[in-house]
Amino acid sequence: MSQVFYIKEDKNELNFKEIPEKLFEKFGNLFDKNDKTAIKMHFGERKSNTHLSPSLVEPIYDKINQNTKKTSLMDCNVLYRGDRSIGSTHKKLAKENGFKFGNIVIADGEKGEDEISIEINQKNFDKVKVGRKLKNYNFLFSLAHLTGHEAAGYGGALKNVGMGLGSKSGKLEMHEAFNLEVERDECQACGTCIRECPEKAIRYVEGKANIDKEKCIGCGICIAVCPFEAIQIPWGDSSPRKLQERIVETAYGILQNKEKSLFMNVLYDITPECDCVNQEQECIVEDKGILISDDIVSIDQASLDLIGLKNFPEDIDSEVQVTYAEKLGMGERDYELKEI
Ligand code: SF4
Ligand code: SF4
């Protein structure tokens, strides 16, 4: 049975400098002077008010950085158009949101094109596509803010790693969003997507951009570069169960490739939607504290148990992620919760 360590303190009373001390009290022996550690996290959207606090992250970053060779704060680009869909503006927004310390790495490059494939041969995917720069780190430290999610049920460590480190192409595949379409009414025929498409899959048809589905490899670059948001992501193609399984398979591929991994879930400011929502959100559950474990399944199961909501939203079974991850041998749903 895996252990999940629980810092059960109100965020207004917790001295955030105690978090890395407690982390190292339990897992300090995992860190080595030669480690290169990627701290996978979400830097928040421009208007989000509930993403991870820089003052919570900074002491964790400092402590890990002092005890390893190299430490970076890492994320990958998102699919939807915005600051976080391009590497340089993603980093700029992270700094504007208060993450002014440390080395920030966007693992799939400027436009999300910098990816590697990892062979997994599982039910949904033979291989998964993730940000290439992750390859430069032997230690993955997942620092997840627990939230709800309209399609995946909830977002914890599995989603932070699986969806979060997927390249744009990997994210499109997780969503089964293969049939990108240009909204003809929105297209201003500026030619940007035609110039940027690496597969030359876009050309004008009757004066508007048109995607040749035979040539398109689903890299997602055109979505990010279109200044008029004319290229739409067909989000609805994947069922919630399939989406969750695909997220888990991507996390599986990533963790198979890492020498070391450790997980921290922050159960503060728990909102119905994830931090990609570019607006302020109301919290739906009271703050619970912080969990730490070396078992990605146990930490997410413990998070769901503490929240007491198995389904948020109600029509999605949130336990698909943990059940499927356990089936793949990624960890155990049985755990022992220990307050520290
Ligand atoms: S998603 Fe398809 S059409 Fe768009 S840039 Fe990539 S290859 Fe070209
Ligand atoms: S970038 Fe957008 S507006 Fe410009 S041609 Fe392509 S689809 Fe049309």
Side-chain angles (χ1 to χ4, degrees):
M1 186 185 293
S2 299
Q3 292 186 323
V4 178
F5 297 101
Y6 184 19
I7 303 173
K8 189 182 177 182
E9 277 187 67
D10 190 288
K11 67 174 180 293
N12 299 317
E13 282 159 27
L14 177 63
N15 176 355
F16 290 156
K17 290 191 176 144
E18 286 176 24
I19 302 170
E21 298 311 317
K22 289 177 189 271
L23 168 71
F24 271 68
E25 194 184 301
K26 293 299 166 194
F27 291 106
N29 59 352
L30 259 186
F31 293 87
D32 183 275
K33 281 284 170 209
N34 292 317
D35 282 337
K36 294 179 181 171
T37 309
I39 300 179
K40 166 63 186 83
M41 56 168 292
H42 190 306
F43 301 108
E45 272 295 349
R46 188 167 292 283
K47 294 181 190 157
S48 68
N49 58 335
T50 44
H51 59 77
L52 285 175
S53 157
S55 56
L56 184 149
V57 177
E58 188 167 10
I60 298 169
Y61 170 84
D62 284 344
K63 182 81 176 178
I64 295 176
N65 195 34
Q66 283 156 15
N67 286 277
T68 56
K69 188 171 183 180
K70 175 180 176 180
T71 304
S72 299
L73 301 174
M74 180 176 284
D75 202 357
C76 278
N77 290 306
V78 294
L79 284 176
Y80 56 87
R81 187 171 161 78
D83 293 312
R84 294 176 62 246
S85 69
I86 297 285
S88 50
T89 50
H90 194 163
K91 280 190 197 178
K92 189 165 171 271
L93 178 62
K95 289 189 191 303
E96 285 169 15
N97 278 353
F99 298 97
K100 296 190 171 88
F101 51 91
N103 177 39
I104 295 177
V105 171
I106 305 302
D108 59 344
E110 180 65 0
K111 294 175 193 156
E113 74 291 358
D114 196 15
E115 63 179 13
I116 51 167
S117 292
I118 301 172
E119 201 172 309
I120 59 162
N121 296 315
Q122 293 297 333
K123 184 167 82 178
N124 297 283
F125 286 138
D126 292 334
K127 55 188 181 178
V128 293
K129 296 175 183 171
V130 306
R132 179 185 299 276
K133 293 187 181 73
L134 180 61
K135 217 173 68 166
N136 303 334
Y137 299 80
N138 67 310
F139 196 149
L140 177 62
F141 183 84
S142 164
L143 179 49
H145 173 220
L146 195 96
T147 66
H149 188 270
E150 63 175 357
Y154 79 99
L158 284 160
K159 182 169 168 290
N160 185 45
V161 173
M163 183 60 80
L165 286 170
S167 62
K168 282 196 179 178
S169 174
K171 286 185 170 86
L172 281 168
E173 290 187 359
M174 281 183 261
H175 285 285
E176 289 186 88
F178 302 121
N179 296 315
L180 299 187
E181 295 277 0
V182 177
E183 298 248 324
R184 292 182 63 81
D185 289 348
E186 304 297 326
C187 176
Q188 305 297 312
C190 70
T192 309
C193 60
I194 294 173
R195 284 194 300 278
E196 296 281 349
C197 173
E199 298 300 311
K200 306 210 178 314
I202 312 178
R203 65 186 179 89
Y204 288 127
V205 172
E206 293 171 6
K208 303 284 182 171
N210 188 73
I211 296 173
D212 181 340
K213 295 191 176 60
E214 295 294 315
K215 289 186 181 168
C216 172
I217 56 166
C219 69
I221 288 175
C222 54
I223 302 166
V225 299
C226 173
F228 302 99
E229 298 186 34
I231 302 177
Q232 300 296 318
I233 308 162
W235 293 112
D237 284 5
S238 183
S239 72
R241 175 171 291 274
K242 275 232 157 167
L243 174 67
Q244 291 187 79
E245 287 182 358
R246 286 164 181 248
I247 289 170
V248 169
E249 288 187 10
T250 307
Y252 170 84
I254 288 166
L255 294 174
Q256 291 278 309
N257 250 21
K258 285 287 151 253
E259 185 194 342
K260 301 179 189 179
S261 54
L262 197 54
F263 311 96
M264 181 180 282
N265 282 3
V266 177
L267 279 64
Y268 291 145
D269 303 314
I270 301 161
T271 49
E273 291 295 336
C274 72
D275 296 330
C276 293
V277 172
N278 193 13
Q279 63 187 41
E280 294 191 359
Q281 295 189 68
E282 296 293 325
C283 298
I284 49 170
V285 185
E286 65 183 31
D287 289 348
K288 298 293 175 187
I290 294 174
L291 298 178
I292 310 168
S293 181
D294 57 2
D295 185 322
I296 194 169
V297 181
S298 290
I299 196 169
D300 272 13
Q301 183 67 60
S303 301
L304 288 173
D305 292 343
L306 279 171
I307 298 307
L309 295 174
K310 290 286 181 261
N311 316 302
F312 55 137
E314 281 177 7
D315 56 343
I316 296 177
D317 179 2
S318 297
E319 293 201 331
V320 170
Q321 288 185 55
V322 282
T323 307
Y324 188 55
E326 184 178 53
K327 197 171 157 199
L328 294 186
M330 296 171 71
E332 304 173 282
R333 291 175 70 197
D334 275 345
Y335 62 89
E336 184 184 5
L337 195 64
K338 287 192 162 178
E339 269 189 53
I340 54 173

